[in-house]
Every structure is written in structure tokens, then in C-alpha cells.
Amino acid sequence: MIPLKVIQSVHPEDFKRYDTATIRSRFLIDNQVQPGKINCTYTHYDRMIVGFANPTDTQLLLPNYPNLRAEYFLERREIGIINVAGDGVVVADGITYDVKKLDCLYIGKGTKSVHFASKNSNEPAVFYLLSAPAHATYPTTLLTHADAVKVILGSASTANHRTINKYIHLEGTKSCQLVMGLTILHDGSVWNTMPSHVHDRRMEAYFYFDVPEGQKIFHYMGEGNETRHITMNNYDAVVSPPWSIHSGSGTASYSFIWGMAGENLDYTDMDPIAITDLR
């Protein structure tokens, strides 16, 4: 079993003194998509776990990390799973779910075993995992990309024309505290989550994918009046504290998965920051 990486919480006043290398070490989750492996990171932001499963020619079992002090991974947790590559399969307590690219599977608290597999080892699945503590059990639910609630926002003139796909939320797949979906930037658009916002009641994690080879994402963090940035690659994830903005711009169009946990499930619960007020 690969050890569970741990990310500690950061105070915003301390963040102001961080250089690029320190920001990357405290918030960036990179190089975690590895063939034939599951890699997970435990964060002290709402105790969210960010993970990746990249099965090739054999099934991968979601491990029970010693850090969890649990009988099995989902004893006190729920998990959202989105596939971002080749056709895959998830088996939850013996029930098989076909999870194609951009499909989302929610698995509720109390599920004892979760296995991941690819339909074709030459075109393997890449499963992105978000897991939050849960105090109630909700049914395992598969929601395809075609059936997800879609909202089109932005415009080409501001380089942020995008389609938001909502999967796990109040009006969609039910959960205890997990909220999850993905955004696809239209061709020629590069900005996400602009104008920026924060939400003091919950953390958020971003996972960037379908970033063309040789291109980069510039991910912006920090308080609205004290911003910083790091560059990110395809299949990189980043953790955003409740006090931090989370916006990105790319050198080409891309897609990203957003996920949250905290006090509520209201997708619109955010405190906007005007573009003119950013520093």
C-alpha cells in the first residue's frame, strides 16, 4: 500500500510569506496518476481525501489506510468518483457500474469494498476520487455525463465561455456533505471561476484534465487582495482553503473537476470578489 500523503492547514497570514516552492508543497497534489496504482492525499481542510486510481490490466482495491482508524475506507466516509479517460468499471460491494469518461459515481457510507478496473488496458481509465466524512448514508448512484445538469456561462469575448456539469449537489445526486461536478472550457476560452469568490463555510479542490500536451494552467490562490499563483499540468490537483480564491487561466482550453465539503450543499454559497478588487 502506498502511504497516505497528508496536507496540513495553512493560516492566511502565513501564506503571505510563502514563495512558489512552499505554495506548491502545501497545496499542490501532482504526479499522482500512476499506472496500476491508487494514490490518495488526506487534507486537513474539512478532512477531504483527494485520490486517483489508474487501473491497467488488473483491478485495484480502494485501500483502508491506517490513518483513518477505520475497519474499511468508507466506514465513516462517502466518495465521489469521476472518470476522465478510457472506459472503466467500479465494483462496489459486488455491484458493477460501467463508468465512462465524464460519468460520475457516488458511493455512500458503509460500502465495504470498492474496486476499480479498465475495460481496455491500452486505453485505461483514470478515476478522480473525492472523499469526505459522512454521518448519514445515501444510496450509491451513477450519473452519466449526458444526464448531468448543465449550465452554460461566460462568453468568448471574456475568454470564459464554459459548460458547468453538476453531479453531486442539492438538486442532483444526494450526499451527506460532498458537492462535485466538472467544467469544460469551450474552444478558445481559458478562464475559469472569474470573477473569483471564496466560501468561508467549506473548502474546495480543483483537478485539471484534458490540458493539451505542452500547455499549462496558471492557478490563482490567496486572499482577494493578496493573490499568488502556481502553474499546473494535466492531471494535477490543488487544494483551496476557505479563505482563498480559486481561479485559473490556461495557455489553451481545458477541463477541470471541482469538489467541496463543509457546512452545506448549496452550490451558490459563495462570497464574490469583483475583478476590479483583485490585487
Side-chain angles (χ1 to χ4, degrees), residues 83 85-89 99-101 117-120 123-127:
N83 184 8
D87 289 351
V89 171
V99 185
K100 298 180 180 179
K101 184 174 182 180
S118 294
K119 292 241 177 139
N120 182 351
E123 297 179 1
V126 173
F127 297 103

Side-chain angles (χ1 to χ4, degrees), residues 7 10 15 23-29 45 221 237-239 241:
I7 290 180
V10 171
F15 179 77
I23 295 174
R24 294 178 71 86
S25 70
R26 297 288 192 273
F27 302 99
L28 181 65
I29 303 172
Y45 297 105
M221 301 184 61
V238 61
V239 177

Side-chain angles (χ1 to χ4, degrees), residues 14 26 50 57 72 79-80 82 110 117 128 145 214 216:
D14 296 334
R26 297 288 192 273
V50 179
D57 52 357
Y72 49 93
I79 192 169
I82 296 179
Y128 177 63
H145 176 240
K216 284 275 190 178

Side-chain angles (χ1 to χ4, degrees), residues 67-118:
N67 314 55
L68 301 181
R69 299 296 194 270
E71 292 296 320
Y72 49 93
F73 188 98
L74 294 177
E75 182 182 12
R76 300 184 297 270
R77 288 183 160 270
E78 59 188 353
I79 192 169
I81 302 164
I82 296 179
N83 184 8
V84 297
D87 289 351
V89 171
V90 179
V91 182
D93 277 355
I95 301 175
T96 300
Y97 300 88
D98 289 334
V99 185
K100 298 180 180 179
K101 184 174 182 180
L102 305 186
D103 291 350
C104 177
L105 179 67
Y106 169 84
I107 303 177
K109 180 176 80 76
T111 302
K112 293 185 176 181
S113 69
V114 179
H115 290 83
F116 302 91
S118 294

